[in-house]
Amino acid sequence: MAPRARVRAPELTGGGGWLNTGGNDLTLADLRGRIVILDFWTFCCVNCLHVLDELRELEGKHRDTVVIIGVHSPKFVHEADHRAVVDAVERYGVHHPVLDDPELATWKQYAVRAWPTLVVIDPEGYVVAQHAGEGHAHALEALVAELEAEHGAKGTLRRGDGPYVPPEPVPTELRFPGKALLLPGGTFLVSDTTRHQLVELAADGETVVRRIGDGTRGLTDGPPERARFSEPQGLAHLPDGTVAVADTVNHALRRYDPATGGTTTLAGTGRQWWQGSPAEGPAREVDLSSPWDLAWFADRLWIAMAGVHQLWTYDPEAGTVRAAAGTTNEGLVDGAADQAWFAQPSGLAAAADRLWIADSETSAVRWVERDGEGFVVRTAVGTGLFDFGHRDGDAEQALLQHPLGVTALPDGSVAVADTYNHALRRYDPATGEVTTLATDLREPSGAVLVDRDIVVVESARHRLTRLRLPEEAVRVEGVAHRTRRAATEIAPGTLRLDVVFQAPAGQKLDTRYGPSTRLLVSATPPGLLARGDGAGTDLSRELVLADGVTEGVLHVSAMAASCDDAPENEYPACHVHQQDWGVPVRVAEGGAARLPLVLAGMDEPS
């Protein structure tokens, strides 16, 4: 067994306190003898939600030796609200202790730079590994087995029940509903996300007519009492009178037939899409990644593919899916559809000539429209990953905070479910103005028009709320925010960027078909870098900072593929590790000349 660096794990501290522990505070001393995995996450981040799903199997298999601790580390101001963290822990089925760290105290102690990041602490209290991004479940499984053997032999492993204490369930008809759709008969179909069901409500928006799905997480077709979903979200009418469902955590599209109550699968394999997988083909043979919302536009079903920052389309006649817009890079870049960048698109609404998009991580409203034979992407409101707030007025300076839904209005404007501002906003392309229609909504995630009213999905109040569209908008005093992370100080001149990747035990880099690593670097503003941006295969690179630019954001995207290192195995299992970082930086004398970003392993600079 190769020797590992021994770095004592810093204590776990967070101003919001502990959740899922029965009211008890935890310390590392309480956890001594157990293998501890810290999951630094924030509930806006779809990659963090992917990691929660990746950890479920490990959590169940090693429940007597492993303790997973979620360290909630907010990006948006709303995510620092303790009540919102409590809601998110229930909403996403987090069944382990969570430390609410609104001031990023533990994040800073562990020098974390990205959501999500996993840190492994051995039974003696030492940090032995760090992993950023998704796709590390196999590496964690191998490391846990190694640590169990090592510390079992030393007598330093303690087995037994962990500190998780489930909260008391709360009875409501809906639980964190995601989206709603008006059915032809005047009833509402609602995605009851946390209960893994669809619910049909009467025209009053309250009375339950029918539940679709047995309420158990799964991917099963059939009648209402047998069907299973996993955190469904978006809903859209199809031309044949059925309803398409974005079955988000199953990475699938489902079809619900209101006439029969039956559910079938339209697209997806149940597996998550990874870089290098096909991005088009027969719908049931292509992997998807966290489809979040759906809309029928330009003779296709458009899919907000939040998990890979793209828009895809489904063609029901051909039975195919394909990537239609976005490069998989996370950010805000307009232009030709195949060159645009998105950041977790989560809401779609079709108008006559535009497909409106709630691009949640850039706090933006954007749209797709035809451009000759293709499509082009444009931005109405929003500037990028790190600026957000609640500010009305001219769209160029207006601010939103992580919107999840958009609804096309009859006058050509669009209503925005401004989720983390607890508000319903409106953008009018005729005037270029943003206004506020309603406040005091609790995490609105979508809305549907009913005559002169708009029915809002109040996700964190577990209900539909009917509002009369006002003649005049509410006036809200402007508030602007930036992401809560402090900037990293870097020295002027040359900056050494090192993406640290160590293949998991028993694996090696996969070089059978060429380079197995990829690095893409860019900056906001672009003028921050005089040299060093662009794509390459080396995970280390020298960046030259431009004179006169004192702050900005470095955007770094890294990928590495590793395979089982067993020469006798003709078909070794291979795994892709990937992560995007957005690192706020400030150029200052005395700043760091090296920027290490850990993809997997431990940073051990020479």
Side-chain angles (χ1 to χ4, degrees):
M1 183 181 302
R4 285 185 293 269
R6 293 176 63 79
V7 178
R8 177 64 72 178
E11 192 52 82
L12 307 177
T13 59
W18 288 89
L19 288 73
N20 285 355
T21 62
N24 299 314
D25 292 347
L26 300 181
T27 67
L28 287 177
D30 299 327
L31 302 171
R32 195 63 50 81
R34 311 298 291 273
I35 300 164
V36 178
I37 300 175
L38 303 182
D39 176 18
F40 289 87
W41 70 297
T42 188
F43 63 78
C44 74
C45 162
V46 71
N47 309 92
C48 299
L49 304 186
H50 291 166
V51 168
L52 287 175
D53 293 320
E54 289 177 3
L55 292 175
R56 293 186 204 280
E57 184 176 351
L58 182 76
E59 199 166 22
K61 184 177 179 181
H62 298 275
R63 192 169 297 279
D64 65 335
T65 59
V66 172
V67 175
I68 295 174
I69 302 289
V71 183
H72 189 267
S73 313
K75 171 186 175 181
F76 290 96
V77 168
H78 171 61
E79 292 172 310
D81 177 351
H82 182 70
R83 179 68 250 177
V85 180
V86 172
D87 286 345
V89 167
E90 180 188 352
R91 181 195 298 265
Y92 297 116
V94 181
H95 295 159
H96 50 250
V98 173
L99 174 63
D100 181 11
D101 184 18
E103 301 301 327
L104 303 181
T106 297
W107 166 287
K108 294 171 186 173
Q109 285 293 310
Y110 281 82
V112 175
R113 296 185 185 276
W115 296 280
T117 290
L118 299 167
V119 175
V120 182
I121 302 172
D122 73 12
E124 294 179 289
Y126 290 93
V127 174
V128 293
Q130 181 172 326
H131 302 270
E134 306 176 48
H136 301 293
H138 67 288
L140 291 174
E141 176 67 45
L143 179 56
V144 165
E146 185 179 315
L147 291 172
E148 285 178 339
E150 175 186 348
H151 289 274
K154 290 173 64 177
T156 51
L157 183 69
R158 177 167 57 90
R159 295 178 180 268
D161 293 335
Y164 170 65
V165 178
E168 289 292 325
V170 181
T172 54
E173 294 290 6
L174 301 173
R175 206 69 193 159
F176 299 104
K179 307 288 184 181
L181 187 70
L182 185 65
L183 295 176
T187 58
F188 295 94
L189 187 66
V190 183
S191 53
D192 196 13
T193 304
T194 298
R195 292 210 177 111
H196 315 298
Q197 292 180 318
L198 308 180
V199 178
E200 185 179 348
L201 298 179
D204 62 7
E206 298 178 5
T207 305
V208 175
V209 175
R210 175 162 56 176
R211 292 186 180 275
I212 301 95
D214 70 1
T216 304
R217 189 189 294 271
L219 178 54
T220 304
D221 292 336
E225 66 276 9
R226 289 187 52 241
R228 289 184 174 179
F229 303 89
S230 188
E231 298 182 29
Q233 288 281 349
L235 307 165
H237 290 292
L238 291 172
D240 64 0
T242 62
V243 175
V245 181
D247 196 4
T248 304
V249 176
N250 276 327
H251 310 295
L253 298 189
R254 315 290 291 283
R255 185 202 304 267
Y256 167 64
D257 187 345
T260 67
T263 298
T264 55
T265 299
L266 286 176
T269 63
R271 298 183 301 270
Q272 183 183 341
W273 188 92
W274 289 97
Q275 289 286 352
S277 301
E280 63 178 312
R284 293 292 303 274
E285 299 176 16
V286 176
D287 299 340
L288 309 180
S289 183
S290 295
W292 208 277
D293 203 9
L294 307 167
W296 186 263
F297 175 72
D299 300 320
R300 297 288 187 274
L301 183 70
W302 288 67
I303 308 162
M305 203 73 78
V308 286
H309 318 299
Q310 289 183 307
L311 304 181
W312 287 39
T313 57
Y314 166 70
D315 180 348
E317 290 191 9
T320 56
V321 292
R322 62 178 295 269
T327 64
T328 76
N329 293 320
E330 184 178 15
L332 194 157
V333 175
D334 288 342
D338 62 349
Q339 299 298 311
W341 291 22
F342 297 95
Q344 228 167 281
S346 301
L348 298 176
D353 58 351
R354 290 183 177 183
L355 177 70
W356 294 104
I357 306 155
D359 201 29
S360 63
E361 279 292 288
T362 53
S363 296
V365 172
R366 308 174 72 185
W367 79 85
V368 170
E369 63 184 3
R370 288 191 181 276
D371 182 34
E373 295 299 314
F375 292 93
V376 65
V377 178
R378 306 195 191 282
T379 297
V381 185
T383 58
L385 287 165
F386 299 98
D387 293 294
F388 53 92
H390 192 153
R391 182 192 289 153
D392 289 333
D394 184 80
E396 290 188 358
Q397 55 85 49
L399 294 172
L400 309 167
Q401 186 178 183
H402 198 79
L404 289 178
V406 281
T407 304
L409 300 179
D411 64 357
S413 66
V414 59
V416 184
D418 193 5
T419 309
Y420 288 2
N421 280 327
H422 307 299
L424 188 68
R425 311 286 291 284
R426 176 177 177 264
Y427 167 68
D428 185 353
T431 64
E433 292 286 310
V434 174
T435 52
T436 297
L437 297 175
T439 57
D440 193 30
L441 300 167
R442 187 70 183 169
E443 293 193 17
S445 55
V448 59
L449 278 175
V450 183
D451 299 323
R452 292 176 55 83
D453 295 340
I454 188 164
V455 176
V456 180
V457 181
E458 270 198 279
S459 188
R461 283 200 177 112
H462 320 292
R463 69 187 189 192
L464 303 188
T465 298
R466 185 181 293 257
L467 304 172
R468 178 58 53 92
L469 280 172
E471 297 293 335
E472 293 188 9
V474 178
R475 297 295 175 187
V476 173
E477 184 177 349
V479 178
H481 302 291
R482 284 187 64 82
T483 183
R484 301 177 67 83
R485 282 184 293 168
T488 297
E489 290 201 346
I490 56 176
T494 301
L495 175 69
R496 176 75 176 184
L497 172 65
D498 289 327
V499 174
V500 178
F501 177 77
Q502 296 158 2
Q507 295 192 352
K508 64 179 181 179
L509 288 174
D510 177 19
T511 56
R512 291 171 299 164
Y513 307 108
S516 59
T517 56
R518 185 188 68 179
L519 181 65
L520 176 67
V521 179
S522 62
T524 304
L528 176 67
L529 292 178
R531 192 166 68 246
D533 61 336
T537 58
D538 194 336
L539 293 181
S540 294
R541 186 180 300 182
E542 285 195 349
L543 308 179
V544 178
L545 303 168
D547 294 335
V549 182
T550 59
E551 63 179 354
V553 178
L554 288 175
H555 303 282
V556 180
S557 178
M559 184 274 288
S562 61
C563 295
D564 292 343
D565 187 11
E568 69 280 3
N569 188 350
E570 186 178 356
Y571 303 104
C574 297
H575 306 274
V576 175
H577 316 255
Q578 62 184 54
Q579 173 62 11
D580 296 334
W581 291 267
V583 184
V585 295
R586 182 180 301 111
V587 181
E589 294 293 341
R594 175 177 178 265
L595 178 62
L597 300 175
V598 178
L599 179 59
M602 295 285 287
D603 179 34
E604 300 174 11
S606 56

